[in-house]
Amino acid sequence: MSETERIPGERFLLAPGPTHIPGEVLNAMHRQPMDHGDPRLEQLIASCDAGLRRVLHTKKAEIYTFASNGHGAWEAAIENLLAPQQAVLIPMAGHFSEQWAIQVEATGRRVIRTKLREGYPIDPNDVEQALREDSKHEIAAVFVVHTDTARGCTCDLQAIRKAIDAARHPALYVVDVISSLAAAPFEMDALGVNVAIGGSQKGLMCPPGIGFVGVDERAEAIAANNPAPRYYWDWGRRKAKYNYTQFCGSAPQNLLFALEAALALLFREGLEAVQARHALLARAVHAAVEAWSSAGTMSLHCRVPAARSVSVTTIDVAPGIEIDAVRAVARERFQVSFAPALGVQRGKAFRIGHLGDLNAPMILGCLAAIEAAMTVCRVPYGREGMHRAIEVLAEPER
Ligand SMILES: Cc1ncc(COP(=O)(O)O)c(C=O)c1O
């Protein structure tokens, strides 16, 4: 499609980030910025901080917000929490835990990895064992990706907390909730998470460009004593009174307008209702994919039903299925974008993102468009998919 060609109606974005942006959020961004000294800018920042605390379910944590994507927020955790050469345990959940590990190593720290269990979420026993083996307590923190957005598995954060406690290890508990926040239950304080890491472009329904961390008192103290040289990411510098210093330069004002509007939408719907909507839409997708799988050409990647993500579904495809061709047909002919697999899974799987500002007709439209694209590309699939998804969506409301 050329850039000038107009397609009637909406194009659907079913990627696991960036996600569909609600009209209210787009409109909120459409205004002139303020001067750095305008008290309304302070109010905007305070309102976003308060909203993020509410979504993270924390009363205690400091919020530090960066003009960055999720990788920036990852780096903030690394630079503030880990001294040069210090070690971190990263339980392997898939592409994103590996990428985070690579970033840790690139910044001069050491990573201890657990073994990736393909198709399964992080096993808390692996975490406990790795921590028990660290008798000298060299591991400073455990970095956990809640939902590996590439694999579509969500781990049990409570069980991992218990594993750290059972090993009697003082490591900090640092959790990436970039692709699960707002969509799946997460309670930072109740889980004893020391640092939570989020981004704007997924369950928070904003464009990419804001990364943030919630930091508890213990992690703050460790950061304050960390000798690692740092500047832009330094939490200490960001405690300043003026927003220009808090953001280490200009605040991303129009993104903050977006975030404030998006948070208001989440609170208006109710956080529990938002999670229930995600759970329902995810079940509809899983049901459709299970039906498609009866033709033997694909299968759900996550083998544990309870661990299947409410944000994204990863579907393995059989050798010989040209899934990128199906994606191109879905996008160009049926106006539905769904995501490729990442890293080592590229070409062997695809992903349907079902988080953020989505409803049942958008999900049904997506599933139907994928079926249409598979039909065009002559990919055999079980024909009961739409029916199964509709059955889930038509269940009596709980
Ligand atoms: C779980 C998770 N962590 C980190 C990232 C990296 O975020 P970004 O692409 O905003 O840098 C992503 C992006 O998809 C993600 O899904």
Side-chain angles (χ1 to χ4, degrees):
M1 190 187 76
S2 82
E3 273 185 31
T4 48
E5 194 181 330
R6 183 180 181 276
I7 301 280
E10 289 281 332
R11 293 176 68 83
F12 285 177
L13 176 59
L14 276 295
T19 59
H20 180 262
I21 302 176
E24 290 90 334
V25 174
L26 287 173
N27 290 339
M29 284 190 287
H30 192 80
R31 64 176 96 162
Q32 297 298 334
M34 297 171 265
D35 75 75
H36 295 309
D38 192 322
R40 278 169 288 230
L41 180 52
E42 305 296 340
Q43 283 163 16
L44 173 65
I45 293 166
S47 153
C48 289
D49 282 1
L52 290 177
R53 258 191 211 99
R54 202 167 147 193
V55 181
L56 289 168
H57 286 95
T58 177
K59 293 209 180 336
K60 302 184 290 194
E62 273 306 325
I63 304 291
Y64 299 110
T65 304
F66 306 94
S68 82
N69 54 23
H71 280 73
W74 272 354
E75 192 128 332
I78 297 167
E79 295 296 356
N80 284 281
L81 298 175
L82 306 177
Q85 286 309 314
Q86 215 169 10
V88 64
L89 172 66
I90 306 195
M92 285 294 113
H95 179 76
F96 286 96
S97 49
E98 178 55 25
Q99 290 305 115
W100 201 2
I102 290 169
Q103 198 168 331
V104 170
E105 288 166 339
T107 55
R109 280 81 169 184
R110 290 178 293 133
V111 177
I112 294 158
R113 294 165 170 79
T114 64
K115 196 166 155 285
L116 175 68
R117 295 174 184 274
E118 201 60 81
Y120 293 86
I122 295 167
D123 185 337
N125 294 322
D126 293 346
V127 175
E128 185 176 337
Q129 192 188 333
L131 291 176
R132 280 189 191 281
E133 283 167 11
D134 178 40
S135 55
K136 292 191 189 145
H137 289 177
E138 288 182 358
I139 294 172
V142 186
F143 282 7
V144 172
V145 175
H146 188 201
T147 293
D148 186 86
T149 323
R151 297 295 199 275
C153 293
T154 296
C155 65
D156 181 343
L157 292 176
Q158 179 84 57
I160 296 176
R161 172 74 266 172
K162 284 191 183 145
I164 299 171
D165 294 343
R168 296 176 187 277
H169 197 291
L172 289 168
Y173 191 17
V174 179
V175 180
D176 165 341
V177 286
I178 290 176
S179 64
S180 56
L181 190 62
F186 174 74
E187 304 211 359
M188 181 175 175
D189 289 354
L191 284 165
V193 168
N194 302 105
V195 177
I197 299 176
S200 50
Q201 77 274 26
K202 300 188 187 252
L204 296 184
M205 310 180 292
C206 289
I210 288 185
F212 57 89
V213 288
V215 182
D216 83 347
E217 228 176 322
R218 190 165 159 241
E220 287 260 70
I222 286 176
N225 291 315
N226 179 4
R230 58 200 188 273
Y231 193 88
Y232 184 78
W233 304 114
D234 185 14
W235 296 337
R237 292 181 54 75
R238 286 168 183 265
K239 289 182 188 305
K241 190 154 173 244
Y242 298 108
N243 66 69
Y244 194 80
T245 317
Q246 273 169 21
F247 278 84
C248 199
S250 303
Q253 293 190 30
N254 293 60
L255 287 173
L256 292 170
F257 284 134
L259 183 59
E260 186 182 46
L263 288 163
L265 290 179
L266 291 176
F267 301 141
R268 198 163 83 195
E269 185 178 349
L271 293 178
E272 282 185 12
V274 171
Q275 286 167 17
R277 172 168 58 81
H278 279 83
L280 178 68
L281 298 181
R283 277 201 299 123
V285 172
H286 299 160
V289 176
E290 268 172 344
W292 293 344
S293 303
S294 66
T297 45
M298 64 191 77
S299 59
L300 284 160
H301 180 78
C302 184
R303 312 252 163 77
V304 184
R308 283 179 192 144
S309 166
V310 296
S311 304
V312 55
T313 297
T314 303
I315 301 129
D316 292 329
V317 295
I321 304 288
E322 298 288 339
I323 196 61
D324 284 343
V326 179
R327 285 183 51 244
V329 171
R331 186 178 57 238
E332 303 306 330
R333 190 160 155 190
F334 299 110
Q335 281 72 58
V336 166
S337 286
F338 60 98
L342 298 173
V344 292
Q345 289 178 300
R346 190 74 211 234
K348 298 179 190 157
F350 65 99
R351 298 176 300 151
I352 302 174
H354 33 82
L355 84 161
D357 188 44
L358 293 179
N359 57 25
M362 291 164 92
I363 288 293
L364 290 173
C366 163
L367 296 172
I370 295 176
E371 287 201 359
M374 291 195 294
T375 304
V376 170
C377 296
R378 299 183 191 283
V379 173
Y381 61 94
R383 299 286 158 157
E384 281 290 293
M386 293 305 297
H387 184 203
R388 292 275 174 267
I390 288 167
E391 276 179 343
V392 170
L393 295 172
E395 281 172 10
E397 288 186 16
R398 294 177 185 185

